[in-house]
Amino acid sequence: MHQSNLRNIGISAHIDSGKTTLSERILFYAGRIHRMQEVRGQGATMDYMDLERERGITITSAATSVNWHGTRVNLIDTPGHVDFTVEVERSLRVLDGAVLVLCAVGGVQAQSLTIHRQMQRYRVPRLAFINKMDRVGADPHRVTEELREKLGCDAVMMQIPIGREAGFRGVVDLISERALYFDGPHGERVRREPIPAEMADEAAAARFRMLEALSMYSDDLMHLLLSDENVPQALIHDAIAAAVVERKLLPVFLGSAFRNKGVQPLLDAVVRYLPSPREARATAFAQQAPGSPIALRPDPDEPTVAMAFKIAEDPFGALTFMRIYQGTLTKGATYFNQRTGRKARFSRIVRMHADEREDVQEAAPGDIVAVLGVDCASGDTYASQYPYCTLQSMYVPEPVISMAIAPLGRDGADRLGRALHRFRREDPTFHVTNDPETGETLIAGMGELHLEVYVERIRREFGVEVEVGRPKVNYREAPTRAAEFNVRHRKQTGGSGQYAHVIGTLDVLPEDSEETFLFEDCVTGGRVPKEYIPAVEKGFRQGILKGPVAGYPVVGLRVTLEDGSYHEVDSSEMAFRTCALSAMRQTFVRTAPVLLEPAMKIEIECPDWAQGTVVGNLTARRGIVLAARMLGPTALIEGEVPLAETFGYSTDLRSMTRGQGTFTMEFARYRRLPRRLAEEVIAERKRTALAAGAV
């Protein structure tokens, strides 16, 4: 298949916006499945894990491929829950385009903003689909306005609705000036009719607004508009496609996936406006000159370059999902991991459809396939030559919550070890460590649900009954004022000794700084030789791993090295590293350090009659309300709450709202822990350390 007839797209959205239902409809209309399932019934095709079907959420991104009027669309359905944000992150990293799904009532919600930032990070062109037009309170004009205000996008409606809420019957296509209705038991027949007479004026005004917005991206279109001439449809399509590829325009489409309305025009738009691999621009960095970018060409005859963006295991072995950017991936050929230099033979290449697979002999540029039995890490680059180039890796957020885990029976230790090793390879945000004080195995992740899901998978997939400790918050330590250091390290032990001397300042980084640690070398006149400066930085970096207040990592610290001295014979990298570590330990306690706790951005949706109770409960949890608005009978509350106060919140919210309340959370920032609570945390850490010492 020619690359211009290929699209790699993702479907991303805030939780419960209906993206998995939309994926199911796309599979059905494209002839990939012959019977549609629902998320909260037997479980959608793309939610193939038992856990996903039981909970009615998407946990892992699922890949499939469909054919729409001669164009192959590689489709990835991603999770909406923030705990599984790395699934969205790695999917968007390798896609050429995306569909941002929004709820016609909820509009731009917390996770919509996160996904927007991820799309910006990887420069992904996208379309917007306002779903659930049949819900009470649906308002596509308000949602489009929110897209402009909150996301800073030039969002332009390509359709207007025929009817609202329960009376939603179809859409008016503003480009072709036709009314579209979706007939048949599953909306499979698209009927095109003239625009209803009562909507003629509204449609004409909406079309003029659309053309006016598009004229900013096309001189020809602007000329025709100013001359009051008819604008050909082909020119409109070209203007939209060019502006979308440049990420300047966000075309907005409407529908109700659950009611089988509006999906086929969205698929037409995906094929028409989102870029093919040939139009998408991909760059890599030369392996021997890391700062030098190389433009990759989607040419099957060039050296092969592919990214391993996801690792998964199923009953038949390890699967490595790969996106080919350049060259051809051939079954039985050997490729080099650009990070490790190791070569691997790709003995089997498959094209995935959720959990089903289809063997292929080779994959061309733009293809997304899975390779069996390759040992690598998420984000590794494979190429037919070594050294060749490395693709920009994925952003992986740090975990904010941890808990101890142990097998109930002695015979489960090996299986638990295998499970943790596998999940750590699959998910870069899932961390496994050993607590040196207690000897416990700790698992860390992005939230309570994230860890809950992994514990449940350990029980089901590996047959290991485990006990888990209460979730623990990953606190941080931070300085609040500057302190100077002047530390000399001298040691004489027969033969050559050790000598190092450092002078400088520990200071506080600005709150808006993206860095958590900054080291500045201000030494002049060679008082500390240049070859020892990296060792000094290493010493301070080692010191921030465990702060003196309660043994938590240190953040928000600037170290300025101003002066020092050295010995011709006794100075070494080791001596300066040890000296810097001593300086950190001795001086940091004089910066009046405080404990910081992770604060989560929370968005709650609840019935209006429960709003007072929910807000009161949030305040009691040391939370603050940032905004509250009413959407018909539903209250939307945005706030910030400490992670330590959120454990078990889902149960409390259900009881306060008679099961009707939902919420989403994502990490916002670290903020200062009140003194009383800080004292309790420090005392608890000391008790734990004493208990571990006694054992």
Side-chain angles (χ1 to χ4, degrees), residues 383-450:
S384 52
Q385 304 172 6
Y386 181 80
Y388 188 57
C389 69
T390 305
L391 290 153
Q392 174 205 348
S393 198
M394 296 167 292
Y395 168 76
V396 179
E398 284 294 311
V400 294
I401 182 173
S402 61
M403 60 169 70
I405 187 167
L408 280 175
R410 195 171 290 177
D411 60 333
D414 281 351
R415 277 175 292 159
L416 176 61
R418 283 203 308 276
L420 296 179
H421 175 70
R422 173 182 146 185
F423 294 148
R424 186 163 57 173
R425 280 188 64 217
E426 286 182 11
D427 183 351
T429 59
F430 180 71
H431 290 205
V432 181
T433 54
N434 275 347
D435 189 324
E437 291 171 1
T438 62
E440 293 174 313
T441 299
L442 300 177
I443 55 174
M446 300 307 298
E448 209 173 356
L449 177 65
H450 191 203

Side-chain angles (χ1 to χ4, degrees), residues 473-482 508-509 511 549 555-556 591-600 621-624 640-645 667-679 681-682:
V473 175
N474 292 345
Y475 294 99
R476 295 287 184 266
E477 299 180 18
T480 57
R481 66 180 185 215
V508 185
L509 276 173
E511 270 191 26
V549 179
V555 296
T591 64
V594 293
L595 279 186
L596 305 180
E597 63 176 342
M600 310 299 283
R621 291 172 180 265
R622 297 192 291 119
I624 51 174
E640 203 176 87
V641 62
L643 175 67
E645 304 290 343
F667 173 72
R669 62 192 175 97
Y670 275 97
R671 71 183 196 193
R672 189 182 291 198
L673 187 65
R675 184 188 291 267
R676 176 182 58 80
L677 295 172
E679 287 168 358
V681 170
I682 293 163

Side-chain angles (χ1 to χ4, degrees), residues 269-280:
V270 162
V271 169
R272 196 172 263 148
Y273 306 134
L274 289 179
S276 68
R278 189 167 286 284
E279 297 164 301

Side-chain angles (χ1 to χ4, degrees), residues 111-178:
Q111 189 67 357
S112 314
L113 293 165
T114 304
I115 291 161
H116 168 68
R117 283 197 300 272
Q118 291 169 323
M119 289 178 177
Q120 293 286 82
R121 184 179 294 133
Y122 301 120
R123 306 175 66 80
V124 180
R126 71 253 202 219
L127 311 175
F129 181 69
I130 299 177
N131 194 21
K132 302 195 175 184
M133 282 296 300
D134 56 316
R135 266 188 73 184
V136 175
D139 186 346
H141 298 284
R142 177 181 53 77
V143 177
T144 305
E145 197 53 45
E146 281 184 16
L147 282 167
R148 292 194 194 105
E149 289 173 7
K150 293 188 177 181
L151 304 188
C153 301
D154 188 7
V156 178
M157 290 175 72
M158 301 286 132
Q159 301 168 336
I160 57 170
I162 301 172
R164 292 272 179 91
E165 301 175 350
F168 177 63
R169 304 193 307 281
V171 295
V172 171
D173 179 357
L174 298 176
I175 300 172
S176 65
E177 297 180 275
R178 304 290 282 174

Side-chain angles (χ1 to χ4, degrees), residues 349-363:
I349 303 172
V350 294
R351 186 163 281 126
M352 299 299 293
H353 170 53
D355 59 342
E356 297 166 18
R357 55 185 66 178
E358 167 198 338
D359 278 275
V360 293
Q361 293 300 309
E362 61 178 32

Side-chain angles (χ1 to χ4, degrees), residues 216-227:
M216 302 302 294
Y217 308 107
S218 168
D219 292 342
D220 293 343
L221 202 151
M222 181 177 279
H223 177 72
L224 291 173
L225 209 57
L226 290 172
S227 312

Side-chain angles (χ1 to χ4, degrees), residues 31 79 175 192 214 229 270 276 296 310 317 342 369 426 515 520 613 684 694:
I175 300 172
R192 296 174 179 273
L214 293 177
E229 293 179 46
V270 162
S276 68
L296 297 178
K310 178 181 174 176
R342 287 206 305 266
V369 292
E426 286 182 11
E515 303 285 339
E520 291 182 349
T613 313
E684 177 61 31

Side-chain angles (χ1 to χ4, degrees), residues 9 29 32 36 43 72 74 96 232 262 374 381 413 433 558 684:
I9 68 156
Y29 295 134
R32 174 55 101 157
M36 291 185 281
R72 192 170 80 236
N74 287 329
D96 302 324
V374 176
T381 302
T433 54
R558 183 208 304 270
E684 177 61 31

